[in-house]
Amino acid sequence: MMKEDFFWYWLTNIDGIGRGSVRKLIESFGSPDMVYDAPDEMVCNLLRTGQQRENFKKSKNKDSIRKGLQKLSDLQISYMHTDSYSYPLRLRQIPDPPYSLYLQGKMPAKDQKAVAVIGARNCTRYGEEMAKFFGRELAKCGIAIISGLARGIDGMAHIGALEGGGYTLGVVGGGIDQIYPKENYNLFIQMKERGGILSENNIGVKPAAGLFPLRNRLIAGLCDGILVVEAMEKSGTFITVDQGLEQGKEIFALPGRMTDKKSAGCNNLIKLGAHIVTEVSDILQILGIEYNYKETIKDFGFSGQKNQKMSLAPQEKMVYSCLEIEPKHIDCIIYEAKLAPQDVSRILNELAIRGVITETNRNYYAIIV
């Protein structure tokens, strides 16, 4: 254990003493060990409340501090602080960088380009599939995918990156031992093994609304560009976008239909000057990445399953051609395919079993990206 680790861990984990108070103490005394060694009276004069002063006096328990660091080690969680060699350079350059970081897994390579893929939690299936598509295809190009491990767009972007065999980092609002939302449990496990999970909060800290805007500044700080896949006109997504703009990051947005409220935020971003994205190469070109990229949005339905889809029988092709990303009811498919209902039902079941399409809800079918 390094001396600096001990004192940074201590100072950034005193109950009730937040980033602002830590900054004031560091500015006054110079370093965490000097804060520790300073007379309690001098330190307490800089704290605002009686509870803060009481918590500070109780915090200097060396055994407890060592046990906290040892628990991180036992859980294979790396602890970093602003004096650590391993502290991410990108985060040193943002306004209000975090004093401490907790990492399970690994960080992206220092010279690796990174794109944050973000958007609504309550998104459409189109948004989910586009997030997965861009996560996968960008990861195939060697780009690190950064997101917030939330439900909806975030989770699908991570899943896509893993499918593409690339690297992805989840930045979470609570401690990295707090799996939130619960349905992302398997994704958390995969990312710890094949990517990374990062937080500025110690283990045991529950996710809370006030922590997510702070988390978003880290997502913006760790990337070269931010891709907004789907967002309403007023969305928490724009906290990340605003912070990205302040940090000089490229902003990308996926256009949507004028009548689609879930895409209103993306369309507004494009009107305000965000880069419009209709294929992966739009992002690669702006980021100055050399590429020989052939896949486009128009082809995306064939990704990963080309052999299966190219070998469809004539009637299967007729049914498949009626499907889109957004789920369609079987009655609409029967009408468009102009085949007998029993034949359409049989073909849909066979295609679903083979993994070419999916039944999203009872009698609703959609293509798989």
Side-chain angles (χ1 to χ4, degrees), residues 25-91:
L25 293 174
I26 293 297
E27 289 173 352
S28 298
F29 295 98
S31 64
D33 58 309
M34 294 178 73
V35 177
Y36 190 95
D37 292 334
D40 286 355
E41 184 178 346
M42 290 181 64
V43 176
C44 289
N45 285 337
L46 297 171
L47 300 176
R48 292 182 295 112
T49 69
Q51 189 62 59
Q52 284 182 323
R53 299 182 190 106
E54 184 178 345
N55 290 346
F56 177 82
K57 292 174 182 178
K58 292 179 179 178
S59 69
K60 295 184 177 181
N61 184 323
K62 292 186 176 181
D63 286 341
S64 177
I65 298 166
R66 291 192 185 97
K67 285 179 181 177
L69 283 166
Q70 185 58 49
K71 187 173 183 180
L72 295 180
S73 179
D74 293 342
L75 293 173
Q76 297 183 313
I77 295 172
S78 300
Y79 174 67
M80 297 175 281
H81 48 80
T82 51
D83 289 334
S84 300
Y85 175 77
S86 57
Y87 188 94
L89 177 60
R90 289 175 185 265
L91 294 184

Side-chain angles (χ1 to χ4, degrees), residues 313-357:
Q315 285 194 335
E316 291 175 335
K317 287 183 179 179
M318 290 175 66
V319 172
Y320 182 81
S321 67
C322 298
L323 299 176
E324 300 174 354
I325 294 178
E326 290 297 330
K328 186 176 288 187
H329 193 270
I330 188 172
D331 290 346
C332 294
I333 301 168
I334 292 169
Y335 176 80
E336 293 178 14
K338 295 180 170 45
L339 296 173
Q342 62 269 25
D343 290 335
V344 173
S345 180
R346 172 182 54 79
I347 291 169
L348 289 171
N349 287 333
E350 290 176 355
L351 293 178
I353 290 170
R354 285 155 54 185
V356 179
I357 66 172

Side-chain angles (χ1 to χ4, degrees), residues 1 4 18-19 32 40-42 52 58 72 75 105 115 128 177 192 202 220 229 258-259 301 314 330 334:
M1 181 193 305
E4 292 84 359
R19 292 173 12 261
D40 286 355
E41 184 178 346
M42 290 181 64
Q52 284 182 323
K58 292 179 179 178
L72 295 180
L75 293 173
V115 170
E128 289 182 346
D177 62 330
K192 288 177 182 180
N202 200 353
V229 174
M258 289 190 301
T259 55
I330 188 172
I334 292 169

Side-chain angles (χ1 to χ4, degrees), residues 151-223:
R151 63 171 57 92
I153 298 299
D154 289 18
M156 296 305 291
H158 292 306
I159 289 170
L162 294 173
E163 285 183 0
Y167 172 87
T168 184
L169 178 73
V171 186
V172 296
I176 58 180
D177 62 330
Q178 306 293 307
I179 297 178
Y180 177 82
K182 296 297 184 185
E183 60 260 36
N184 279 351
Y185 175 83
N186 289 332
L187 181 57
F188 265 73
I189 300 303
Q190 290 184 63
M191 290 182 64
K192 288 177 182 180
E193 296 172 351
R194 298 170 54 191
I197 300 176
L198 184 74
S199 178
E200 67 176 309
N201 298 297
N202 200 353
I203 57 174
V205 175
K206 302 290 186 183
L211 297 178
F212 290 105
L214 298 174
R215 177 275 308 266
N216 292 347
R217 84 189 194 285
L218 305 188
I219 294 176
L222 287 163
C223 68

Side-chain angles (χ1 to χ4, degrees), residues 14 135 168 247:
I14 303 173
T168 184
Q247 297 171 19

Side-chain angles (χ1 to χ4, degrees), residues 109-154:
K110 291 183 179 180
D111 59 348
Q112 186 175 12
K113 293 284 189 180
V115 170
V117 181
I118 61 173
R121 287 176 169 84
N122 182 23
C123 59
T124 65
R125 186 169 187 275
Y126 172 79
E128 289 182 346
E129 295 301 317
M130 288 296 95
K132 185 167 68 171
F133 170 78
F134 279 98
R136 183 182 67 235
E137 300 305 320
L138 289 169
K140 285 181 182 178
C141 297
I143 294 175
I145 302 301
I146 315 292
S147 200
L149 253 171
R151 63 171 57 92
I153 298 299
D154 289 18

